[in-house]
Amino acid sequence: MTAYAIAHLRPTDGPVPEEVFVYMERIQETFAPFGGHFLVHGTTVEVREGTWPGALVMVGFPSMREARSWYDSAPYQSLLPLRTNHIPGDLILVDGVPPNYDPAKTAANYREAQGAGE
């Protein structure tokens, strides 16, 4: 099942430090051994509900195992401070849904579980 690394980055005002450019230039090479690829990067976010200060980055991986292995890998961990020392943000790893996912079935399961507790 596809997994995703999702980052909500909140760059500060002012010039972008050189280290951030180096991070951007080298990040793609850290994905290759784990089958990762950018899905969202450097695009404008259109906020329809709530607020979203900053930028969204989304990377797809073949599975959660590859996503975790990428994040924990020595090449990525050595690169990571180039971004985190200059751009605050949050990063999560999350599984996608399986093929033929049906949200109505999920609702039914939640409803049943909720009723079982009453």
Side-chain angles (χ1 to χ4, degrees), residues 18-68:
E18 180 60 24
E19 290 86 357
V20 174
F21 293 127
V22 172
Y23 174 89
M24 292 173 67
E25 292 164 349
R26 295 179 46 205
I27 186 73
Q28 183 68 46
E29 66 194 40
T30 70
F31 298 152
F34 308 101
H37 61 281
F38 277 108
L39 298 170
V40 176
H41 188 244
T43 59
T44 302
V45 176
E46 182 176 323
V47 179
R48 293 295 183 107
E49 296 180 27
T51 60
W52 191 277
L56 173 70
V57 176
M58 192 168 171
V59 179
F61 290 92
S63 73
M64 184 62 87
R65 183 183 56 147
E66 282 90 357
R68 286 183 187 122

Side-chain angles (χ1 to χ4, degrees), residues 7 19-20 37 39 43 46-47 62 75 77 80 84 86 91 98-99 105 108-109 111 115 117:
E19 290 86 357
V20 174
H37 61 281
L39 298 170
T43 59
E46 182 176 323
V47 179
Q77 286 299 305
L80 186 58
T84 59
H86 302 287
L91 186 137
K105 288 181 183 177
N109 291 339
R111 184 176 285 123

